[in-house]
């Protein structure tokens, strides 16, 4: 997938979803590279925001507990002004 073409297709709106820490994650690397290349965009990042890890029987339970579930992703995508 061409990241820049995808970004242009969303009118400069980017949502990154991490199943680990937001800081230093792939979304941070991606947004840094895009900014350095001169691309302007709005960003919403979903992930573990500085909290300690936790276990669950099913990933969905953990994602929902930490605000990384489907509803959070949809809410982030709709939050752009």
């Amino acid at each position: 997938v061409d990241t820049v073409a995808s970004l242009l297709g969303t009118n400069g709106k980017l949502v990154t979803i991490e199943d680990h820490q937001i800081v230093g994650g792939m979304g941070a690397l991606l947004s840094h590279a895009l900014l350095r290349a001169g691309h302007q965009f709005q960003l919403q990042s979903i992930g573990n925001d500085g909290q300690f890890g936790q276990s669950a029987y099913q990933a969905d339970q953990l994602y929902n507990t930490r605000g990384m579930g489907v509803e959070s992703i949809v809410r982030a995508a709709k939050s752009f002004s």
Side-chain angles (χ1 to χ4, degrees):
V1 173
D2 182 344
T3 304
V4 174
S6 296
L7 186 60
L8 294 173
T10 64
N11 294 318
K13 295 171 178 71
L14 176 65
V15 177
T16 63
I17 304 154
E18 314 265 352
D19 65 350
H20 51 82
Q21 296 294 331
I22 292 174
V23 175
M26 192 59 161
L29 295 172
L30 175 62
S31 60
H32 182 82
L34 288 168
L35 285 171
R36 286 186 47 92
H39 300 285
Q40 299 295 314
F41 55 93
Q42 295 176 342
L43 174 68
Q44 290 288 336
S45 294
I46 295 173
N48 195 355
D49 197 11
Q51 301 162 331
F52 290 106
Q54 182 179 353
S55 298
Y57 288 108
Q58 294 183 341
D60 289 355
Q61 293 171 330
L62 185 57
Y63 291 163
N64 289 333
T65 299
R66 295 295 188 184
M68 296 183 277
V70 172
E71 290 179 13
S72 296
I73 295 168
V74 170
R75 190 171 37 257
K78 289 181 175 181
S79 72
F80 294 107
S81 54

